[in-house]
Structure formats: C-alpha cells, structure tokens
Amino acid sequence: MSKKLSVVVSVYNEEAALPLFYQTTKPILEALPWDWEILFVNDGSVDGSLTCLREFAARESRVKLVSFSRNFGHEAAMLAGIDHASGDGIVCMDADLQHPPECLPEIVAKLEEGCGVISMVRTRNASAGLLKNITSAGFYWVINRLAEIHLEPNASDFFALSRQAADVLRMHYREKVRFLRGYVQNIGFHRVTIEYEARDRVAGESKYSLRKLFAFSMNAILCFSNLPLRLGIFAGIFAALCGVAVMIYTLCTRGGAPSGYATIVIVNCFMFAMLFVIVGIIGEYIAILFSELKDRPLYIVEEKENL
Ligand code: UDP
Ligand code: MG
C-alpha cells in the first residue's frame, strides 16, 4: 500500500486565499507518488473561510477539516493538524501560498529517504519588509545567545515530519507556552533543510502584527532559556561590588557622610529599577508555571469533517 502525505494548513480569515491555495496545491498532490490528505484547521475564522472549507470537504473526501470553537493561534492550529493527521509524513504550511506547494515533491523524496525532520529555510522573504526582517534577525541573535540549543535563523513554520517525529509532538511538548518551530528543530532524528523562496501573500494580510511577534519572541525565550532568571544573581553581585566600593571610598575620605541627595536618589532609583525588572522576569516564569498547572486545553474542536 502506498504511503500517505498529510498536508496541515492553518486557516485564520483566509477566505480570499483559500480557493487559490486549493487549486494550486491539489494538482501537485495528485502528481505525487504518495496518497495524500489535506487537513485544514480553521482557527476561529470570522469570515467565510469555514463555509469555503466545508465546500472543499463535501466535494473531496481527502480534504479533512478540524474547526476550532474560537481563535487559539497558529501554533495550536498546527498542533491540532498534527494530532489529527494520519499520514506517514506530515507537512505544515500556510494557507496564503507563501510556502510554495511546488516544494512538496522534494519533501516527499526526503521523507522517502528516511528523513525525520525537514526544515524549510527561507532564502529571501520578499513580503516581510525591512522592519520584520531586522527584528527577526535580532530575535534569533538574542535567542541563540540565551538558549542552550541552536535555532535556525531563517526557519519558518513550513516544515515536514515523519510519523515517528510527529508522534513526539503528539505525546510530548504539549506545553501551553511554547515555540513549536524550536521544538521541531530540537527533537533530533535525521534532519535536513531545504531552501525555498518565500513569496508574497496571494491575498489577505498577515495575521502577525509586530506586537504579536514581540509576545511570540518573549515566549520563545522563556521556553528555551533559564538565563533571564540568573540575572538576579548578576545584579546582586554588581550591587554588592558597588556597595563595597562606596564603603571603601567613605572610609578612606573620612570626611563624614557627603551631602549627596542626588546620588542617593539616583542610586535608589537604579537599584529599585533592577529589582523590579528581576521581579517581573520571575513573574513571567511563574505565569508559565501557573498556566501549565491550570492545564487548560490547547485547543477546543467544534466541528470535524471527513475525520
Ligand atoms: N493563522 C492561524 N491563526 C492565527 C494567525 C494565523 O491559523 O491566529 C494562520 C494564517 O491563516 C496563515 C498562517 O497561520 O495560514 C500564518 O499566518 P500569516 O500568514 O498571517 O503569518 P506570516 O506569514 O505573515 O508570518
Ligand atoms: Mg503567511
């Protein structure tokens, strides 16, 4: 029996892009040596995406649909797709054709060779704009210095997994605060990278604002590094050294206490600032612990078609 490829597509308000995505991808899948399924995950779209996906599913049984009760985010949608996929290989991609379906034959060839993880690396991101490209480079620079593991700077949410690698994500890595792209790169297995050129979105607009990207980057750092927690130790040592220096200075000058109102206020502000930043960082980690403890669902499914 031939093997099967599952294509997981996360969809959030993509009614304008979906028909073109389906029209472009289906003939490419038909030409593959493997059987296929497309698993659309509707992440609480408020436009006509769900109606469009129901139509695809009604016409073709290999089109599967998982629809969330509300918006849970792109990563939750990818995880739901991976959870419901039944293929021997699973590819996650965007619905906006930024991830070219023309790469699918090459991905299948790599899966056939026995690769466990295939990371698709962008050579050029035409649509992202200068600001997004600079902030993205800055983020990877920071995280690669803080984290114990290495993260590929141009890796995207376009990746493929063998069934065995997907099982790792299905059973483990069920964290509430997460960085899926980072997990994919660090679960091991035989990993290869394939380069692709990210295109412009065919329709609609990007769902990732800079604010969302900042929150996403903070989560990634918190998931992959405990170094920010050690900041308190460094700050403490720094404050102690400053204290010793001032003490020695005071003892040596013997001039009694200098009339240093400004100095006292500045030092106080500085010390409290350090303290509050550190308390804030600890707070972030406690918030993660709290959300893990509450153990709320990663996503809630309202409707399924052809599954
Ligand atoms: N997406 C999603 N849930 C969200 C935001 C986005 O499922 O809350 C989907 C979106 O429909 C798209 C993919 O995730 O298929 C990537 O989003 P987008 O293209 O907006 O991000 P960009 O490519 O601009 O980084
Ligand atoms: Mg996109």
Side-chain angles (χ1 to χ4, degrees):
M1 214 181 73
S2 94
K3 289 184 175 175
K4 182 157 96 177
L5 182 73
S6 300
V7 178
V8 169
V9 186
S10 35
V11 177
Y12 179 53
N13 296 344
E14 302 282 8
E15 65 175 350
L18 280 173
L20 195 59
F21 173 84
Y22 186 52
Q23 273 167 31
T24 319
T25 312
K26 197 175 171 199
I28 297 172
L29 289 171
E30 293 285 15
L32 291 177
W34 286 18
D35 193 10
W36 59 269
E37 66 176 2
I38 305 184
L39 217 152
F40 287 105
V41 183
N42 172 41
D43 185 13
S45 302
V46 289
D47 64 353
S49 299
L50 184 56
T51 319
C52 183
L53 295 176
R54 281 190 190 126
E55 271 167 32
F56 295 163
R59 270 188 276 139
E60 168 63 78
S61 62
R62 286 175 292 182
V63 171
K64 323 262 156 130
L65 169 63
V66 173
S67 185
F68 288 174
S69 60
R70 63 162 168 87
N71 179 259
F72 282 87
H74 183 197
E75 294 200 329
M78 286 192 282
L79 274 174
I82 293 169
D83 290 347
H84 288 85
S86 59
D88 302 276
I90 298 170
V91 182
C92 286
M93 57 201 294
D94 285 8
D96 54 13
L97 286 175
Q98 277 187 308
H99 300 156
E102 292 77 18
C103 295
L104 290 171
E106 200 179 347
I107 291 174
V108 169
K110 292 284 178 209
L111 287 167
E112 195 74 71
E113 282 168 24
C115 294
V117 177
I118 301 165
S119 298
M120 305 299 291
V121 176
R122 284 185 295 249
T123 48
R124 191 177 72 95
N125 199 354
S127 65
L130 189 66
L131 189 60
K132 249 191 180 180
N133 278 330
I134 291 176
T135 45
S136 163
F139 161 68
Y140 280 104
W141 188 86
V142 171
I143 199 163
N144 277 327
R145 259 138 207 88
L146 291 179
E148 301 96 56
I149 44 99
H150 178 78
L151 292 163
E152 186 75 54
N154 291 316
S156 55
D157 286 318
F158 185 19
F159 57 84
L161 302 167
S162 65
R163 186 196 293 269
Q164 198 187 8
D167 278 342
V168 175
L169 295 184
R170 287 186 188 118
M171 282 183 286
H172 312 289
Y173 292 96
R174 309 299 291 185
E175 291 155 47
K176 309 290 181 282
V177 177
R178 66 196 156 237
F179 185 49
L180 195 58
R181 221 181 273 188
Y183 302 155
V184 167
Q185 288 180 47
N186 288 282
I187 51 174
F189 296 100
H190 180 182
R191 181 171 160 254
V192 289
T193 54
I194 298 179
E195 291 195 340
Y196 77 97
E197 192 170 302
R199 301 198 199 118
D200 285 343
R201 230 173 197 285
V202 285
E205 52 194 48
S206 173
K207 312 295 180 298
Y208 279 104
S209 58
L210 271 179
R211 213 188 82 213
K212 257 194 183 175
L213 280 176
F214 180 74
F216 180 70
S217 311
M218 286 303 290
N219 279 352
I221 291 172
L222 296 171
C223 302
F224 272 105
S225 176
N226 290 334
L227 210 62
L229 279 176
R230 295 209 192 107
L231 213 64
I233 301 173
F234 301 133
I237 293 170
F238 171 71
L241 290 177
C242 289
V244 170
V246 173
M247 188 178 74
I248 293 170
Y249 171 77
T250 313
L251 289 175
C252 291
T253 50
R254 283 202 201 166
S259 62
Y261 170 78
T263 319
I264 290 171
V265 172
I266 291 167
V267 168
N268 254 329
C269 284
F270 180 67
M271 288 298 170
F272 273 117
M274 274 205 309
L275 199 63
F276 287 138
V277 167
I278 289 161
V279 171
I281 291 173
I282 296 172
E284 288 291 329
Y285 283 91
I286 293 176
I288 295 181
L289 287 177
F290 193 40
S291 61
E292 294 301 332
L293 194 70
K294 285 187 286 190
D295 199 25
R296 289 186 184 156
L298 298 179
Y299 55 83
I300 299 170
V301 177
E302 187 179 356
E303 179 184 335
K304 288 184 193 177
E305 302 290 344
N306 294 338
L307 276 166

Short mmCIF file of all heavy atoms in Angstrom, two decimals, residues 198-248:
data_model
loop_
_atom_site.label_atom_id
_atom_site.label_comp_id
_atom_site.label_asym_id
_atom_site.label_seq_id
_atom_site.Cartn_x
_atom_site.Cartn_y
_atom_site.Cartn_z
N ALA A 198 10.40 32.52 -0.05
CA ALA A 198 9.07 32.91 0.42
C ALA A 198 8.51 33.96 -0.53
O ALA A 198 9.20 34.89 -0.90
CB ALA A 198 9.14 33.46 1.83
N ARG A 199 7.26 33.73 -0.92
CA ARG A 199 6.65 34.67 -1.86
C ARG A 199 5.77 35.65 -1.11
O ARG A 199 5.59 35.55 0.09
CB ARG A 199 5.77 33.89 -2.81
CG ARG A 199 6.49 32.84 -3.57
CD ARG A 199 5.63 32.48 -4.76
NE ARG A 199 6.00 31.21 -5.29
CZ ARG A 199 5.19 30.16 -5.34
NH1 ARG A 199 3.96 30.25 -4.88
NH2 ARG A 199 5.59 29.03 -5.86
N ASP A 200 5.17 36.53 -1.88
CA ASP A 200 4.19 37.43 -1.29
C ASP A 200 2.93 36.62 -1.02
O ASP A 200 2.65 35.65 -1.69
CB ASP A 200 3.84 38.56 -2.28
CG ASP A 200 4.96 39.56 -2.37
OD1 ASP A 200 5.81 39.57 -1.46
OD2 ASP A 200 4.99 40.32 -3.35
N ARG A 201 2.19 37.06 -0.04
CA ARG A 201 0.88 36.52 0.23
C ARG A 201 0.00 36.68 -1.02
O ARG A 201 0.04 37.74 -1.63
CB ARG A 201 0.27 37.41 1.31
CG ARG A 201 -0.28 36.70 2.43
CD ARG A 201 -0.68 37.69 3.48
NE ARG A 201 -0.84 36.91 4.68
CZ ARG A 201 -1.88 36.13 4.89
NH1 ARG A 201 -2.86 36.09 4.04
NH2 ARG A 201 -1.93 35.40 5.98
N VAL A 202 -0.78 35.66 -1.38
CA VAL A 202 -1.62 35.81 -2.58
C VAL A 202 -2.80 36.73 -2.34
O VAL A 202 -3.28 37.41 -3.23
CB VAL A 202 -2.12 34.47 -3.15
CG1 VAL A 202 -1.01 33.76 -3.86
CG2 VAL A 202 -2.75 33.62 -2.08
N ALA A 203 -3.30 36.71 -1.10
CA ALA A 203 -4.47 37.55 -0.78
C ALA A 203 -4.52 37.74 0.72
O ALA A 203 -3.84 37.04 1.47
CB ALA A 203 -5.74 36.87 -1.26
N GLY A 204 -5.33 38.67 1.15
CA GLY A 204 -5.47 38.92 2.60
C GLY A 204 -4.23 39.57 3.16
O GLY A 204 -3.33 39.96 2.42
N GLU A 205 -4.20 39.68 4.50
CA GLU A 205 -2.99 40.28 5.08
C GLU A 205 -2.44 39.45 6.22
O GLU A 205 -3.13 38.56 6.74
CB GLU A 205 -3.27 41.71 5.52
CG GLU A 205 -4.48 41.84 6.40
CD GLU A 205 -4.91 43.30 6.53
OE1 GLU A 205 -4.99 43.99 5.50
OE2 GLU A 205 -5.12 43.73 7.66
N SER A 206 -1.20 39.75 6.59
CA SER A 206 -0.53 38.97 7.62
C SER A 206 -1.27 39.09 8.94
O SER A 206 -1.75 40.16 9.30
CB SER A 206 0.90 39.47 7.79
OG SER A 206 1.48 38.81 8.89
N LYS A 207 -1.37 37.96 9.65
CA LYS A 207 -2.08 37.96 10.93
C LYS A 207 -1.11 38.24 12.08
O LYS A 207 -1.50 38.31 13.23
CB LYS A 207 -2.76 36.59 11.17
CG LYS A 207 -3.56 36.08 9.99
CD LYS A 207 -4.75 36.95 9.68
CE LYS A 207 -5.58 36.47 8.50
NZ LYS A 207 -4.91 36.42 7.21
N TYR A 208 0.16 38.37 11.76
CA TYR A 208 1.15 38.63 12.80
C TYR A 208 1.55 40.10 12.80
O TYR A 208 2.33 40.53 11.97
CB TYR A 208 2.40 37.77 12.59
CG TYR A 208 2.25 36.36 13.09
CD1 TYR A 208 2.05 35.30 12.23
CD2 TYR A 208 2.32 36.09 14.45
CE1 TYR A 208 1.90 33.99 12.70
CE2 TYR A 208 2.18 34.80 14.94
CZ TYR A 208 1.97 33.76 14.06
OH TYR A 208 1.84 32.48 14.52
N SER A 209 1.02 40.85 13.76
CA SER A 209 1.45 42.25 13.90
C SER A 209 2.79 42.23 14.64
O SER A 209 3.19 41.22 15.21
CB SER A 209 0.42 43.00 14.72
OG SER A 209 0.29 42.37 15.97
N LEU A 210 3.47 43.37 14.66
CA LEU A 210 4.75 43.43 15.36
C LEU A 210 4.56 43.16 16.86
O LEU A 210 5.39 42.54 17.50
CB LEU A 210 5.42 44.80 15.15
CG LEU A 210 6.31 44.89 13.92
CD1 LEU A 210 6.88 46.27 13.78
CD2 LEU A 210 7.44 43.86 13.92
N ARG A 211 3.42 43.61 17.40
CA ARG A 211 3.15 43.38 18.83
C ARG A 211 3.02 41.88 19.11
O ARG A 211 3.58 41.35 20.06
CB ARG A 211 1.87 44.11 19.23
CG ARG A 211 1.94 44.62 20.66
CD ARG A 211 0.62 45.17 21.11
NE ARG A 211 -0.23 44.06 21.53
CZ ARG A 211 -1.55 44.04 21.40
NH1 ARG A 211 -2.17 45.04 20.86
NH2 ARG A 211 -2.25 43.01 21.80
N LYS A 212 2.28 41.19 18.22
CA LYS A 212 2.10 39.74 18.38
C LYS A 212 3.46 39.03 18.27
O LYS A 212 3.74 38.09 18.99
CB LYS A 212 1.18 39.21 17.28
CG LYS A 212 -0.23 38.92 17.74
CD LYS A 212 -0.91 38.09 16.65
CE LYS A 212 -2.34 37.78 16.94
NZ LYS A 212 -2.97 37.09 15.82
N LEU A 213 4.29 39.54 17.32
CA LEU A 213 5.60 38.92 17.12
C LEU A 213 6.47 39.11 18.34
O LEU A 213 7.26 38.23 18.71
CB LEU A 213 6.30 39.52 15.89
CG LEU A 213 5.83 38.98 14.54
CD1 LEU A 213 6.52 39.72 13.41
CD2 LEU A 213 6.14 37.48 14.42
N PHE A 214 6.34 40.27 19.01
CA PHE A 214 7.14 40.53 20.20
C PHE A 214 6.74 39.54 21.30
O PHE A 214 7.60 38.92 21.94
CB PHE A 214 6.94 41.98 20.67
CG PHE A 214 7.75 42.32 21.89
CD1 PHE A 214 9.13 42.49 21.79
CD2 PHE A 214 7.14 42.42 23.13
CE1 PHE A 214 9.88 42.77 22.92
CE2 PHE A 214 7.89 42.69 24.27
CZ PHE A 214 9.27 42.87 24.16
N ALA A 215 5.42 39.37 21.51
CA ALA A 215 4.94 38.44 22.53
C ALA A 215 5.41 37.01 22.21
O ALA A 215 5.85 36.27 23.09
CB ALA A 215 3.42 38.48 22.59
N PHE A 216 5.37 36.68 20.94
CA PHE A 216 5.79 35.36 20.44
C PHE A 216 7.29 35.14 20.74
O PHE A 216 7.70 34.09 21.24
CB PHE A 216 5.52 35.38 18.94
CG PHE A 216 5.87 34.15 18.18
CD1 PHE A 216 5.14 32.99 18.35
CD2 PHE A 216 6.90 34.15 17.25
CE1 PHE A 216 5.44 31.85 17.61
CE2 PHE A 216 7.21 33.03 16.52
CZ PHE A 216 6.47 31.88 16.70
N SER A 217 8.09 36.20 20.51
CA SER A 217 9.53 36.10 20.75
C SER A 217 9.83 35.96 22.24
O SER A 217 10.70 35.19 22.63
CB SER A 217 10.25 37.35 20.25
OG SER A 217 9.84 37.66 18.97
N MET A 218 9.09 36.70 23.07
CA MET A 218 9.30 36.60 24.51
C MET A 218 9.01 35.18 24.97
O MET A 218 9.77 34.59 25.74
CB MET A 218 8.38 37.57 25.27
CG MET A 218 8.79 39.02 25.18
SD MET A 218 10.45 39.30 25.78
CE MET A 218 10.21 39.02 27.51
N ASN A 219 7.90 34.62 24.51
CA ASN A 219 7.54 33.24 24.87
C ASN A 219 8.65 32.28 24.47
O ASN A 219 8.98 31.37 25.22
CB ASN A 219 6.26 32.81 24.16
CG ASN A 219 5.05 33.32 24.88
OD1 ASN A 219 5.16 33.87 25.97
ND2 ASN A 219 3.89 33.18 24.27
N ALA A 220 9.18 32.49 23.27
CA ALA A 220 10.22 31.58 22.77
C ALA A 220 11.43 31.63 23.70
O ALA A 220 11.99 30.59 24.07
CB ALA A 220 10.62 31.99 21.37
N ILE A 221 11.82 32.83 24.13
CA ILE A 221 12.98 32.96 25.01
C ILE A 221 12.69 32.28 26.36
O ILE A 221 13.51 31.53 26.87
CB ILE A 221 13.37 34.45 25.18
CG1 ILE A 221 13.92 34.98 23.86
CG2 ILE A 221 14.39 34.62 26.30
CD1 ILE A 221 14.15 36.46 23.81
N LEU A 222 11.49 32.52 26.88
CA LEU A 222 11.14 31.94 28.18
C LEU A 222 11.08 30.41 28.11
O LEU A 222 11.40 29.73 29.08
CB LEU A 222 9.79 32.49 28.67
CG LEU A 222 9.77 34.00 28.96
CD1 LEU A 222 8.35 34.47 29.22
CD2 LEU A 222 10.65 34.36 30.14
N CYS A 223 10.68 29.87 26.95
CA CYS A 223 10.60 28.40 26.83
C CYS A 223 11.98 27.76 26.69
O CYS A 223 12.14 26.60 26.97
CB CYS A 223 9.93 27.92 25.57
SG CYS A 223 8.39 28.35 25.17
N PHE A 224 12.92 28.51 26.12
CA PHE A 224 14.19 27.86 25.80
C PHE A 224 15.36 28.29 26.67
O PHE A 224 16.47 27.80 26.49
CB PHE A 224 14.54 28.10 24.33
CG PHE A 224 13.95 27.06 23.43
CD1 PHE A 224 12.86 27.33 22.64
CD2 PHE A 224 14.48 25.77 23.42
CE1 PHE A 224 12.30 26.35 21.84
CE2 PHE A 224 13.93 24.79 22.62
CZ PHE A 224 12.83 25.08 21.82
N SER A 225 15.13 29.22 27.61
CA SER A 225 16.27 29.66 28.40
C SER A 225 15.87 30.01 29.83
O SER A 225 14.84 30.63 30.07
CB SER A 225 16.90 30.88 27.73
OG SER A 225 17.92 31.36 28.54
N ASN A 226 16.74 29.59 30.78
CA ASN A 226 16.54 29.99 32.18
C ASN A 226 17.50 31.11 32.54
O ASN A 226 17.55 31.54 33.69
CB ASN A 226 16.79 28.80 33.10
CG ASN A 226 15.69 27.77 32.97
OD1 ASN A 226 14.57 28.12 32.60
ND2 ASN A 226 16.00 26.53 33.25
N LEU A 227 18.26 31.55 31.56
CA LEU A 227 19.29 32.56 31.83
C LEU A 227 18.70 33.86 32.40
O LEU A 227 19.29 34.43 33.32
CB LEU A 227 20.08 32.83 30.55
CG LEU A 227 21.53 33.24 30.76
CD1 LEU A 227 22.32 32.13 31.44
CD2 LEU A 227 22.18 33.59 29.43
N PRO A 228 17.53 34.33 31.89
CA PRO A 228 16.98 35.57 32.48
C PRO A 228 16.78 35.46 33.99
O PRO A 228 16.90 36.45 34.70
CB PRO A 228 15.64 35.74 31.76
CG PRO A 228 15.84 35.08 30.45
CD PRO A 228 16.74 33.90 30.73
N LEU A 229 16.53 34.23 34.49
CA LEU A 229 16.33 34.06 35.93
C LEU A 229 17.62 34.32 36.71
O LEU A 229 17.59 34.71 37.86
CB LEU A 229 15.86 32.64 36.23
CG LEU A 229 14.38 32.36 36.03
CD1 LEU A 229 14.09 30.89 36.26
CD2 LEU A 229 13.54 33.21 36.97
N ARG A 230 18.75 34.08 36.04
CA ARG A 230 20.04 34.27 36.72
C ARG A 230 20.43 35.73 36.78
O ARG A 230 21.38 36.09 37.45
CB ARG A 230 21.14 33.50 35.99
CG ARG A 230 20.89 32.05 36.08
CD ARG A 230 22.14 31.22 36.04
NE ARG A 230 21.70 29.85 35.84
CZ ARG A 230 21.84 29.20 34.72
NH1 ARG A 230 22.50 29.72 33.73
NH2 ARG A 230 21.36 27.98 34.60
N LEU A 231 19.71 36.55 36.04
CA LEU A 231 20.01 37.98 36.01
C LEU A 231 20.06 38.54 37.43
O LEU A 231 20.88 39.40 37.74
CB LEU A 231 18.91 38.68 35.21
CG LEU A 231 19.31 39.89 34.42
CD1 LEU A 231 20.30 39.48 33.35
CD2 LEU A 231 18.06 40.50 33.76
N GLY A 232 19.20 38.03 38.31
CA GLY A 232 19.13 38.48 39.69
C GLY A 232 20.46 38.26 40.40
O GLY A 232 20.92 39.11 41.18
N ILE A 233 21.10 37.13 40.12
CA ILE A 233 22.38 36.82 40.77
C ILE A 233 23.44 37.82 40.31
O ILE A 233 24.17 38.40 41.12
CB ILE A 233 22.83 35.37 40.42
CG1 ILE A 233 21.76 34.39 40.89
CG2 ILE A 233 24.18 35.07 41.03
CD1 ILE A 233 21.99 32.96 40.46
N PHE A 234 23.46 38.07 38.99
CA PHE A 234 24.46 39.02 38.47
C PHE A 234 24.20 40.42 39.03
O PHE A 234 25.13 41.12 39.42
CB PHE A 234 24.42 39.07 36.93
CG PHE A 234 24.68 37.73 36.28
CD1 PHE A 234 23.85 37.27 35.27
CD2 PHE A 234 25.73 36.94 36.70
CE1 PHE A 234 24.07 36.03 34.68
CE2 PHE A 234 25.95 35.70 36.13
CZ PHE A 234 25.13 35.24 35.12
N ALA A 235 22.92 40.80 39.09
CA ALA A 235 22.58 42.14 39.60
C ALA A 235 22.98 42.25 41.07
O ALA A 235 23.50 43.29 41.51
CB ALA A 235 21.09 42.40 39.42
N GLY A 236 22.76 41.17 41.82
CA GLY A 236 23.12 41.17 43.25
C GLY A 236 24.62 41.35 43.43
O GLY A 236 25.08 42.15 44.26
N ILE A 237 25.40 40.62 42.63
CA ILE A 237 26.86 40.72 42.75
C ILE A 237 27.30 42.13 42.38
O ILE A 237 28.12 42.75 43.07
CB ILE A 237 27.54 39.67 41.82
CG1 ILE A 237 27.24 38.26 42.35
CG2 ILE A 237 29.04 39.91 41.73
CD1 ILE A 237 27.65 37.14 41.42
N PHE A 238 26.71 42.67 41.33
CA PHE A 238 27.04 44.03 40.88
C PHE A 238 26.73 45.06 41.99
O PHE A 238 27.57 45.90 42.33
CB PHE A 238 26.23 44.35 39.61
CG PHE A 238 26.31 45.77 39.17
CD1 PHE A 238 27.50 46.27 38.62
CD2 PHE A 238 25.22 46.62 39.31
CE1 PHE A 238 27.57 47.59 38.20
CE2 PHE A 238 25.30 47.94 38.90
CZ PHE A 238 26.47 48.43 38.35
N ALA A 239 25.55 44.91 42.62
CA ALA A 239 25.16 45.86 43.66
C ALA A 239 26.10 45.73 44.86
O ALA A 239 26.51 46.74 45.47
CB ALA A 239 23.71 45.61 44.07
N ALA A 240 26.47 44.49 45.20
CA ALA A 240 27.37 44.28 46.33
C ALA A 240 28.73 44.91 46.07
O ALA A 240 29.31 45.58 46.94
CB ALA A 240 27.53 42.78 46.58
N LEU A 241 29.25 44.77 44.84
CA LEU A 241 30.56 45.36 44.49
C LEU A 241 30.49 46.88 44.58
O LEU A 241 31.41 47.52 45.11
CB LEU A 241 30.98 44.93 43.08
CG LEU A 241 31.36 43.44 42.94
CD1 LEU A 241 31.70 43.13 41.49
CD2 LEU A 241 32.53 43.09 43.85
N CYS A 242 29.38 47.45 44.09
CA CYS A 242 29.21 48.91 44.18
C CYS A 242 29.21 49.34 45.65
O CYS A 242 29.86 50.32 46.03
CB CYS A 242 27.88 49.35 43.55
SG CYS A 242 27.89 49.19 41.78
N GLY A 243 28.51 48.58 46.49
CA GLY A 243 28.42 48.90 47.91
C GLY A 243 29.79 48.89 48.56
O GLY A 243 30.15 49.81 49.31
N VAL A 244 30.58 47.86 48.24
CA VAL A 244 31.94 47.74 48.81
C VAL A 244 32.77 48.94 48.36
O VAL A 244 33.48 49.57 49.17
CB VAL A 244 32.60 46.41 48.39
CG1 VAL A 244 34.07 46.39 48.76
CG2 VAL A 244 31.86 45.25 49.06
N ALA A 245 32.68 49.29 47.08
CA ALA A 245 33.48 50.41 46.55
C ALA A 245 33.12 51.71 47.28
O ALA A 245 34.02 52.46 47.72
CB ALA A 245 33.23 50.56 45.05
N VAL A 246 31.83 51.96 47.47
CA VAL A 246 31.41 53.20 48.15
C VAL A 246 31.85 53.17 49.61
O VAL A 246 32.29 54.19 50.17
CB VAL A 246 29.87 53.38 48.03
CG1 VAL A 246 29.39 54.56 48.86
CG2 VAL A 246 29.48 53.59 46.58
N MET A 247 31.77 51.98 50.21
CA MET A 247 32.20 51.86 51.62
C MET A 247 33.68 52.20 51.76
O MET A 247 34.07 52.99 52.63
CB MET A 247 31.93 50.43 52.10
CG MET A 247 32.14 50.23 53.59
SD MET A 247 31.74 48.53 54.03
CE MET A 247 33.13 47.67 53.37
N ILE A 248 34.50 51.65 50.88
CA ILE A 248 35.94 51.91 50.94
C ILE A 248 36.21 53.40 50.73
O ILE A 248 36.97 54.03 51.48
CB ILE A 248 36.69 51.06 49.88
CG1 ILE A 248 36.60 49.58 50.27
CG2 ILE A 248 38.14 51.48 49.75
CD1 ILE A 248 37.08 48.62 49.20
#
